[in-house]
Amino acid sequence: MGGPTAAHQLLQENPVSTVDRVEQARLRLRSARKPDTGVCAAPVGRGGGPGSNTTVLAASELRAAWPLELSKRAALGWILLATLAAVLLRVPRLDQEITHDEAFSWLGYAVESYEQIFTTYHQPNNHILHTALMRLSSQVFDGHDEWMLRAPAFVSGVATVPATAGLVAAALGSPTAGVVAAWHLALHPSHVSYSTSARGYSSLVLWTTLAWWSALIAQRGRRWFWLGFGAAGLLATWTLPSGGLFLLSLGGWSAWRARKDHGAGNGAFAAGTVLTASLASLAAYGYVLDDLLTASERWGTKVWADPVASLRTLASGFTLLLGGGAVVAIVSSAVLGAIRLAQRCGGLAVQVAVVAMFPILVAVVSGMAGPGRSYFYLLPA
């Protein structure tokens, strides 16, 4: 009984100085900076965690960035609607006439035995893991109709919609941001196209999305999610070799940040996972490595020998990522999003920049670039 009375008397006797002290404490709390983990939430481990003041302040600032913040239940409903919209947009395209590249992937590789699929790479049409799934689909459905061959790409494309929502919501700490991302991908013209093409590009995007989502969780101190990153990164690389660029860029950057933010043990675990996944990817291509290098020389763009072709490759890649006819709306959204990201999530902005710039750096140093569509894994960025 005496405590509250004394406090009440103190406030009455000296209200200004007491309020000032409270305000100063509040300002000090707001000025506190959590470690820059490269994501927009306080890490679990050092310097903050669920329920800490820094986490609450960060979440409130992020909520203020969005004009409308949905509850998790409402966000889930909108994400399910986006996934349904993705299905409805893609299903009518499954029976379209087969294209030349799809036919080559089927007749050149998928009709062969699984052993041949995993040990042959005469041309880049063999997106190995996806080719194996295409053969499996034809066996399960006992046929080779267009929709049967495109089923793996379709399933991967649709599954990427809620996966992207989870990735973006985790990155920005906002369920509303996840909803926006889900609808963006569901309506994205390039993704609609590749989700109904019997090629491995939609599978590549699914694996890189899941890998990035796992990496974000792992960066907050939950070290076992590095295993999810390594597994998904391996599957992305086994689908298309360009997935290795994602594995190395995000994996290397994340391992360095893990060591910096969570100590040597966490950093070593992350680095070990990335190294293991990289070696496993190399082993997966062991039988076809010579053919892979030959195909790269034949079908790739020589950056220094033909700079004009290199610029065309860069332009085609950007066109695919921006969605063709939806360029204006998507570019505007991307610019606004980048500004918001840089203002509120500087570490995450750097992470995105590392992943996006790494393939350009590799192309410049090696003198060889793949076709623009091989960099479609950058779509989650």
Side-chain angles (χ1 to χ4, degrees):
M1 295 293 291
T5 303
H8 182 69
Q9 290 176 348
L10 177 62
L11 185 59
Q12 283 186 327
E13 293 171 0
N14 197 357
V16 177
S17 60
T18 303
V19 172
D20 285 345
R21 285 197 297 271
V22 172
E23 179 65 16
Q24 289 171 4
R26 187 184 68 83
L27 292 175
R28 284 197 299 270
L29 182 60
R30 288 186 61 85
S31 66
R33 290 289 182 262
K34 62 182 182 301
D36 185 4
T37 61
V39 291
C40 296
V44 178
R46 295 186 183 182
S52 70
N53 290 323
T54 52
T55 303
V56 172
L57 288 174
S60 64
E61 290 174 358
L62 283 166
R63 282 194 294 270
W66 297 93
L68 172 65
E69 187 58 57
L70 300 172
S71 66
K72 289 185 178 180
R73 176 175 295 183
L76 179 60
W78 282 105
I79 292 168
L80 291 175
L81 284 176
T83 305
L84 177 60
V87 171
L88 296 177
L89 282 174
R90 289 157 176 76
V91 164
R93 300 170 59 98
L94 291 176
D95 285 326
Q96 291 183 351
E97 184 178 353
I98 208 81
T99 66
H100 176 271
D101 282 341
E102 290 177 297
F104 195 97
S105 297
W106 167 248
L107 296 174
Y109 296 102
V111 296
E112 304 292 340
S113 66
Y114 288 105
E115 180 182 1
Q116 285 292 105
I117 291 172
F118 286 103
T119 59
T120 307
Y121 201 92
H122 299 311
Q123 295 194 41
N125 289 71
N126 187 14
H127 301 165
I128 294 178
L129 187 58
H130 178 268
T131 303
L133 292 174
M134 187 161 57
R135 174 168 175 75
L136 178 63
S137 177
S138 71
Q139 292 176 325
V140 169
F141 295 112
D142 193 23
H144 51 271
D145 292 346
E146 288 87 347
W147 70 268
M148 298 176 186
L149 304 185
R150 291 167 174 159
F154 170 76
V155 172
S156 295
V158 172
T160 307
V161 174
T164 299
L167 166 64
V168 175
L172 299 180
S174 167
T176 303
V179 170
V180 172
W183 279 96
H184 179 135
L185 192 68
L187 304 176
H188 195 288
S190 299
H191 192 262
V192 171
S193 177
Y194 280 129
S195 298
T196 53
S197 175
R199 313 292 304 286
Y201 299 107
S202 66
S203 297
L204 174 68
V205 175
L206 173 63
W207 298 128
T208 54
T209 300
L210 293 175
W212 208 331
W213 192 1
S214 297
L216 285 177
I217 298 173
Q219 288 168 26
R220 295 170 183 171
R222 300 174 68 178
R223 61 190 297 176
W224 295 108
F225 277 86
W226 288 120
L227 300 179
F229 169 78
L234 168 61
L235 294 174
T237 307
W238 212 352
T239 301
L240 264 81
S242 59
L245 298 175
F246 173 85
L247 175 62
L248 292 175
S249 58
L250 183 60
W253 188 91
S254 298
W256 172 72
R257 289 309 310 233
R259 178 181 177 84
K260 181 177 180 182
D261 297 328
H262 300 289
N266 196 295
F269 189 85
T273 302
V274 174
L275 178 61
T276 301
S278 301
L279 292 176
S281 300
L282 190 61
Y285 283 96
Y287 285 104
V288 298
L289 190 57
D290 290 339
D291 289 340
L292 176 61
L293 295 175
T294 301
S296 176
E297 287 286 336
R298 181 179 178 183
W299 300 100
T301 300
K302 296 177 174 59
V303 174
W304 299 112
D306 194 348
V308 175
S310 302
L311 291 176
R312 283 199 296 266
T313 296
L314 186 64
S316 68
F318 273 116
T319 300
L320 283 174
L321 293 173
L322 295 175
V327 168
V328 175
I330 294 177
V331 168
S332 300
S333 300
V335 170
L336 293 174
I339 294 172
R340 182 76 68 185
L341 188 63
Q343 289 175 338
R344 297 182 177 275
C345 311
L348 182 60
V350 173
Q351 185 175 158
V352 171
V354 167
V355 173
M357 296 303 296
F358 187 71
I360 298 177
L361 176 63
V362 170
V364 170
V365 173
S366 67
M368 188 68 64
R373 59 183 177 273
S374 64
Y375 304 110
F376 199 55
Y377 71 86
L378 292 173
L379 187 59

